[in-house]
Amino acid sequence: QDVGHTMHIERKTRCKTQVRECSRLRTLLSAVFVLSMAWSCAAFHPLSLQHGLRTRPTAHAGRQAHICSRVGRPGRLVGLNTLRCSEEAPKYRRSGRGNRICILGGGFGGVNTALKLAALAPLEDPKAEITLVDSSERFVFLPLLYELVTGELQDWEVAPVFTDVLQGSGVRFVHGSVSSLDRRNRTVTVHKASVAGGGEERVEFDKLVVALGQEPSLPAAGGIADHAIPFYRVEHAKQLRARLQRLREGSTSGRTRVAVVGGGYSGVELSCSLAELCAGWGDVTLFQRSDNVLRGGSRYGRTTSRQEMQRRGVRLEADAEIRQVGADSISFSCAGGEERTECADVVVWTGGSTGNSAVQGMGFVTNEYGQLDVDLNLRVRGEEGVFALGDAAASFDVLGEAAPRSASAAVQQSETLAWNLHASLTGGLPVKFRYQNLGEMMAFGPGAASVNSDVFGLKASGPLAAAIRRATYLIRMPGAQHRQKVAASWAARLPGDIGRVLGQRDK
């Protein structure tokens, strides 16, 4: 009996081991499938989902014109496929309209619109004159901003200068802020940055794209704007990292206390990353207004986030309404109305945004969030030749679903808008925007992440998810030459990164 029982236990143990190995193999194969699909066809495009992978003929100017909804160049994972006309398709007849395109805003929507429009089928002479205007000299890859705080990545990898991103594309970059818009004479007045020579420059346009996004909103009352650090730009990440470094070096007794406000994706990812960075000398508390984090996220994302927060010792203060922020304290009210004050050496504000002041100063009609109302072609309603996308646009897709304010949605909109701009210049047919929810990816520190995609049937966490996330973002980076530089840099550091992850797991 004892021998039989022992053999039964051994068989049961072997079966469990085989199940775990099969599960890991299935996850690995799914990851390989996702990355191969991402590289070759850049996930799904709403045109191919809506019309099928086919060429639709349409009568135009007494001959056949074709719209190709096939996959474009590989290596451009943007949540959608890059549109490209087939070589057999005839050229469109020019409609006679102007070809000067001005894009305001160099975020995910603006940069990808410029690059994808420049990469579409060549236009008849003269080519489109694409001008990109942004107040910063750097494009910020926001999903990797956490790695900049923890020191995993370098500045140029997360925030390359626009000249590197746009190199070889033919897109002209103007470094400056928008001071005024003359819709009647079709000109934008740009106050150029001092490093770009200063002064004012007038940019003439025939088509205008508003992609200025939104601005972080810090309440002016309670000392929040004076003492809290927003987390939206490279300067904010550098400021936070320098502040933590000074506190670590100057601390003589006690632990550094870090407070992160906002239980969305940014707050959860940042709090976990800071807990990794401050392990052994600091404590992190996440303040959330509701009773749980990631209320708009998936169930898998919420569960994984809570587990990662507990693993790293991040304390969650739910149902907390921030009342006041001081130089070394934070005051808040709890669910029962109780007022509490805690010590906080650093307060990081990740919640809340408001409409861009430049958009509101252009004279357009905006909603309560400072967004422009656009139709299914991403054209601003009531305006001729004006388009908007990203956080600056209140956009709905063909199914009536509101586009979320995320980088993924902005990149998908850039695909549709680039095609529609090309069609307006060449006499083609515009297409309607359709949003595809490709899932979510979150980072929790070096070698830790979660990936959840119903489209690909993939759920993963840990080092494998971190590798999938990093590879996906590498493919999504705009600018082929910049992407190659980043790939070479990450490949050179890969052995060291693997060693650090294995060392952390051993601990």
Side-chain angles (χ1 to χ4, degrees), residues 72-73 76 82-85 111-123 127 130 168-171 415 418 422:
R73 297 178 177 85
R76 292 176 180 261
T82 301
L83 295 175
R84 184 180 64 179
C85 289
V111 166
N112 282 283
T113 299
L115 292 175
K116 295 178 190 311
L117 177 60
L120 282 173
L123 303 176
K127 284 191 173 183
I130 307 172
S169 64
V171 178
E415 294 279 357
H422 176 261

Side-chain angles (χ1 to χ4, degrees), residues 280-331:
W281 56 275
D283 299 315
V284 180
T285 302
L286 177 63
F287 292 86
Q288 166 68 351
R289 295 181 61 179
S290 62
D291 58 351
N292 201 355
V293 297
L294 301 180
R295 297 199 63 182
S298 65
R299 182 178 180 182
Y300 179 81
R302 289 194 299 270
T303 302
T304 306
S305 299
R306 292 298 297 268
Q307 292 174 349
E308 294 292 341
M309 290 171 60
Q310 293 175 2
R311 185 177 293 115
R312 287 161 176 76
V314 177
R315 181 170 68 93
L316 175 62
E317 195 68 52
D319 295 317
E321 183 77 22
I322 306 300
R323 297 300 183 185
Q324 189 171 2
V325 175
D328 56 358
S329 64
I330 182 170
S331 302

Side-chain angles (χ1 to χ4, degrees), residues 436-483:
Q436 176 70 36
N437 186 1
L438 299 175
E440 60 186 9
M441 295 188 292
M442 291 183 287
F444 305 113
S450 72
V451 176
N452 176 32
S453 175
D454 293 334
V455 173
F456 297 104
L458 175 64
K459 287 181 173 62
S461 61
L464 177 60
I468 296 174
R469 173 180 174 272
R470 187 69 67 84
T472 303
Y473 285 156
L474 175 63
I475 299 171
R476 287 186 176 185
M477 280 191 174
Q481 298 187 25
H482 172 67
R483 191 184 309 117

Side-chain angles (χ1 to χ4, degrees), residues 363-413:
F364 295 119
V365 178
T366 59
N367 61 12
E368 56 182 326
Y369 304 106
Q371 298 174 306
L372 300 173
D373 186 23
V374 298
D375 59 18
L376 297 178
N377 301 127
L378 302 180
R379 183 182 289 106
V380 177
R381 298 184 188 276
E383 299 291 340
E384 178 65 26
V386 181
F387 303 81
L389 77 164
D391 294 349
S395 172
F396 292 84
D397 72 349
V398 293
L399 300 180
E401 180 181 354
R405 291 187 289 180
S406 65
S408 176
V411 174
Q412 293 184 36
Q413 289 173 334

Side-chain angles (χ1 to χ4, degrees), residues 143-150 231 265-266 269-270 273 469:
L144 295 177
L145 207 56
Y146 317 102
E147 282 89 333
L148 188 59
V149 176
T150 58
F231 191 76
Y265 288 103
S266 296
E269 293 181 84
L270 181 61
S273 299
R469 173 180 174 272

Side-chain angles (χ1 to χ4, degrees), residues 131-134 136-137 162-163 166 171-176:
T131 302
L132 179 67
V133 180
D134 195 89
S136 174
E137 66 175 349
F162 279 107
T163 52
L166 302 175
V171 178
R172 187 172 75 95
F173 174 64
V174 177
H175 182 196

Side-chain angles (χ1 to χ4, degrees), residues 331-355:
S331 302
F332 59 96
S333 60
C334 303
E338 178 188 0
E339 297 283 344
R340 292 171 54 187
T341 300
E342 294 185 358
C343 295
D345 299 301
V346 181
V347 177
V348 188
W349 197 276
T350 66
S353 61
T354 185

